[in-house]
Amino acid sequence: LFYTDCNRDKGGCGVEIFKVENLTFTYPVGDIPALDNISLKIEKGEFITICGRSGCGKSTLLRHLKNELTPHGSRLGKVFFRGEELKEADTAYDIGFVMQNPENGIVCDKVWHELAFGLENMGISQEKMHTKVAEMASFFGIQNWFYKNVSELSGGQKQLLNLAAAMVGQPSVLILDEPTSQLDPIAAGEFLRTIKKINDELGITVILTEHRLEEAFPLSDRIIAMENGKVIFDGAPRKARDMKLYPLLPSPMKIYSRLAEGGECPINVKEGRTWLEKIADGKTIRNLPGQSKSGTAENVVEIKNVWFRYEKELPDVLRGVNFCVRKGEIYSLTGGNGAGKTTALMVLAGIFKPYRGKVKTVGRVSVLPQNPQTLFEEKTVELDLLASVGNVSEDKVRAAAEKCHVEHLFSHHPYDLSGGEQQRAALAKVLLSEPEILLLDEPTKGMDGFFKESFAEILTNLKKEGITIILVSHDIEFCAEVSDRCAMFFNGEITAEGTPREFFAGNSFYTTAANRMAREFVPHAVTTEDVILAFGGEKVL
């Protein structure tokens, strides 16, 4: 049958590809269902974004849509794929899956080997294999690094390779679990636009979980929001204005929901700018309070003319880096993948030693690495925290766990947690060492908007205690919210530095959606709160 009754409002074509009926699932160590009586239908050709708090069940739901990744536990209900129960269907290549960590999806040493790997397993002839691999490499712009070792690729290139490898088998469904969590803003935007191109031009159904929703919302036909294993919203993106979802919303929707004076809800920066033009007519725009540089006059971190390379014959990764951080200050390092941010953090921690220059730190230094799993050693979160720093008391463990909102996860294996939950458990473990200088590498990776708010409060409270915080992050909005100063890394050196308003207001791409939306009216507004206050809204207490 050939269907022509495509549902233009939803983006689907009226052909049901997935059907989930009363799905309830509980992990072996859990008492509360990770999925609680979920029923939904997904049409062929839809672009669906699933969002919600960390641990709400998003990733668990995705894994139930592919046989090979279905988690072990107690399950009730059914999942159907093209009318056939999924567990009876052969979907190894018909359903492509891209994971959160680019490293986890790659199995070969060379780029072209990775592209050919799935086809070899399918028994495709050499001639057809070469044609398909060449086609995918051209479509994704991989031809310039086709023969490279995978180890030479940036994070964005590795994730693009994962996507291309999943597409070589010509799947009808593409499932992606937090695919941009380790990408810089520019690479993340390009990656998501590539997925939309696949959806539009090839008609492939896309099901995506994502915390970075500024880009994902406008691309989606449908938003599914989850909480405590249940679906709490399922509909068009513009209708997701319930204040229960407020922390998840893109900046234009947040600003609209607090200033709404009629008109259609804007969903992206362009629409937000047009809407602001309408409501700005005749309105007195408030001046924003100034931003002062926080922290004491005492520098507790100093890097002077630091040069570093991983091997003698390789190029320099750090090239004359200079910066200072004051006691009790939150200092953010931003920049593209491979710019040298994480390397600078490891030099500060003493893990890497520069061959030129000086590094000075005053006080005990602790590091939260980009991959929190490297910190876990025990079978449960509770045991892992108790074993973290020798004879730590149960009261201290409980206090750190409550501060990071992981006390309810004590009985879980750390590897069974969601990405955001792992970050929170790892932070609790790091805080037990009572650091005076805290180094955070991509701390909001895998975190939802709800926990980012409480995580920002945690950092602010640590700062009040006199703890100095240096964080590396691709999360521009978060850096703008919490930082006293921000710096840009490019090609191994710092090229710009200033308060969030000084720093972000002058940038075109490395800036916030709120700034791009409102800079014509309030040039130095960089957060949603800045825009809301400037246009007469009230501050949320």
Side-chain angles (χ1 to χ4, degrees):
L1 292 175
F2 178 73
Y3 290 84
T4 57
D5 57 336
C6 290
N7 187 328
R8 300 297 180 187
D9 294 330
K10 292 180 67 177
C13 291
V15 182
E16 183 180 284
I17 195 163
F18 273 113
K19 183 179 180 181
V20 180
E21 284 188 349
N22 308 116
L23 181 62
T24 296
F25 175 80
T26 306
Y27 283 100
V29 295
D31 298 323
I32 300 173
L35 301 176
D36 189 356
N37 197 33
I38 288 180
S39 295
L40 56 87
K41 296 178 181 179
I42 296 171
E43 292 182 6
K44 183 178 180 180
E46 281 192 293
F47 190 121
I48 294 177
T49 296
I50 304 176
C51 59
R53 299 173 188 262
S54 296
C56 70
K58 303 185 302 295
S59 295
T60 302
L61 176 59
L62 288 194
R63 290 177 179 274
H64 279 272
L65 301 180
K66 187 169 174 67
N67 286 329
E68 295 80 2
L69 298 175
T70 301
H72 178 65
S74 173
R75 168 172 155 164
L76 298 173
K78 295 180 179 181
V79 178
F80 295 90
F81 179 68
R82 288 180 170 157
E84 179 183 6
E85 193 165 354
L86 181 64
K87 64 182 180 181
E88 306 296 335
D90 181 9
T91 61
Y93 299 103
D94 210 15
I95 300 175
F97 201 105
V98 177
M99 299 181 182
Q100 183 176 140
N101 188 337
E103 305 284 349
N104 292 343
I106 294 174
V107 295
C108 298
D109 58 345
K110 298 279 189 182
V111 170
W112 73 271
H113 287 167
E114 187 69 26
L115 289 175
F117 181 75
L119 297 174
E120 289 175 343
N121 289 338
M122 294 169 67
I124 301 294
S125 69
Q126 288 288 324
E127 184 179 353
K128 287 185 178 180
M129 189 186 304
H130 289 157
T131 301
K132 286 181 176 291
V133 167
E135 181 186 35
M136 281 301 144
S138 298
F139 183 86
F140 289 102
I142 288 173
Q143 59 268 32
N144 291 334
W145 35 280
F146 188 71
Y147 294 104
K148 276 192 173 184
N149 291 324
V150 171
S151 59
E152 298 177 45
L153 305 183
S154 69
Q157 288 174 325
K158 287 178 181 176
Q159 197 63 305
L160 193 62
L161 176 58
N162 279 324
L163 177 59
M167 287 298 300
V168 167
Q170 295 182 312
S172 57
V173 178
L174 187 60
I175 299 175
L176 306 102
D177 189 10
E178 298 285 351
T180 70
S181 63
Q182 298 191 39
L183 305 186
D184 65 71
I186 294 174
E190 290 175 351
F191 186 86
L192 289 172
R193 284 189 290 275
T194 299
I195 295 169
K196 184 59 176 174
K197 182 180 178 183
I198 289 170
N199 175 249
D200 286 341
E201 296 186 9
L202 303 180
I204 290 175
T205 306
V206 173
I207 308 169
L208 168 80
T209 63
E210 186 59 69
H211 286 312
R212 184 179 269 159
L213 297 173
E214 298 287 353
E215 298 269 4
F217 251 68
L219 300 177
S220 303
D221 301 311
R222 185 170 150 207
I223 299 295
I224 296 175
M226 296 181 63
E227 186 168 325
N228 297 325
K230 297 181 179 181
V231 173
I232 60 171
F233 176 84
D234 183 354
R238 291 185 198 281
K239 296 181 180 179
R241 300 198 306 275
D242 191 318
M243 289 306 287
K244 292 179 181 178
L245 304 177
Y246 181 82
L248 302 175
L249 300 179
S251 296
M253 296 184 72
K254 284 183 178 179
I255 294 167
Y256 175 88
S257 67
R258 298 265 298 280
L259 297 176
E261 297 183 14
E264 187 174 54
C265 175
I267 199 170
N268 57 31
V269 168
K270 179 181 178 181
E271 293 179 0
R273 193 182 297 121
T274 301
W275 173 71
L276 281 181
E277 286 177 358
K278 293 177 181 177
I279 70 168
D281 187 28
K283 181 186 285 288
T284 301
I285 298 176
R286 296 176 182 171
N287 291 324
L288 295 173
Q291 282 186 322
S292 59
K293 296 175 182 178
S294 188
T296 67
E298 176 193 0
N299 286 333
V300 294
V301 173
E302 293 182 2
I303 285 188
K304 294 184 177 180
N305 195 33
V306 164
W307 293 72
F308 174 82
R309 62 180 63 155
Y310 285 100
E311 294 181 21
K312 191 173 182 179
E313 65 277 8
L314 294 178
D316 290 308
V317 180
L318 301 181
R319 303 159 53 85
V321 175
N322 291 279
F323 67 87
C324 300
V325 184
R326 293 181 284 270
K327 181 177 176 63
E329 185 176 33
I330 299 178
Y331 188 89
S332 296
L333 296 172
T334 68
N337 290 96
K341 307 181 301 298
T342 294
T343 303
L345 215 62
M346 296 304 102
V347 166
L348 273 177
I351 296 171
F352 298 153
K353 186 176 180 180
Y355 70 84
R356 187 189 306 168
K358 293 184 179 180
V359 178
K360 175 186 174 183
T361 57
V362 181
R364 187 165 46 254
V365 179
S366 294
V367 183
L368 176 62
Q370 189 170 137
N371 182 2
Q373 291 185 357
T374 59
L375 295 183
F376 301 137
E377 302 172 323
E378 302 295 336
K379 293 182 179 180
T380 68
V381 171
E382 182 178 24
L383 290 175
D384 200 75
L385 292 177
L386 287 168
S388 58
V389 283
N391 297 320
V392 62
S393 70
E394 291 188 10
D395 287 343
K396 281 190 174 182
V397 166
R398 179 68 60 176
E402 288 177 354
K403 181 178 286 188
C404 297
H405 303 179
V406 294
E407 67 275 14
H408 65 292
L409 302 172
F410 269 12
S411 63
H412 291 64
H413 193 292
Y415 281 25
D416 289 337
L417 306 182
S418 70
E421 288 170 337
Q422 287 184 353
Q423 288 288 90
R424 286 146 55 181
L427 177 62
K429 187 169 186 176
V430 168
L431 291 180
L432 286 171
S433 65
E434 299 181 345
E436 295 167 90
I437 300 171
L438 183 59
L439 308 180
L440 308 174
D441 194 1
E442 296 293 348
T444 62
K445 182 186 69 177
M447 284 187 186
D448 61 84
F450 292 95
F451 188 74
K452 282 181 190 178
E453 290 185 348
S454 57
F455 187 70
E457 184 180 355
I458 290 170
L459 296 189
T460 301
N461 289 336
L462 292 174
K463 171 181 143 181
K464 289 176 182 176
E465 295 171 15
I467 295 175
T468 304
I469 300 167
I470 302 175
L471 64 94
V472 164
S473 182
H474 293 315
D475 193 333
I476 298 300
E477 270 71 21
F478 186 78
C479 291
E481 291 278 357
V482 305
S483 305
D484 296 303
R485 284 189 296 152
C486 300
M488 166 72 82
F489 244 94
F490 175 75
N491 196 27
E493 57 185 329
I494 288 179
T495 59
E497 183 186 81
T499 66
R501 287 192 189 141
E502 293 170 345
F503 180 77
F504 290 115
N507 295 339
S508 297
F509 300 104
Y510 268 88
T511 189
T512 62
N515 179 255
R516 294 197 303 272
M517 176 176 164
R519 61 172 49 176
E520 180 181 340
F521 315 101
V522 197
H524 287 89
V526 296
T527 67
T528 56
E529 288 299 318
D530 285 344
V531 179
I532 290 164
L533 291 175
F535 277 83
E538 299 300 320
K539 187 177 181 66
V540 174
L541 300 177

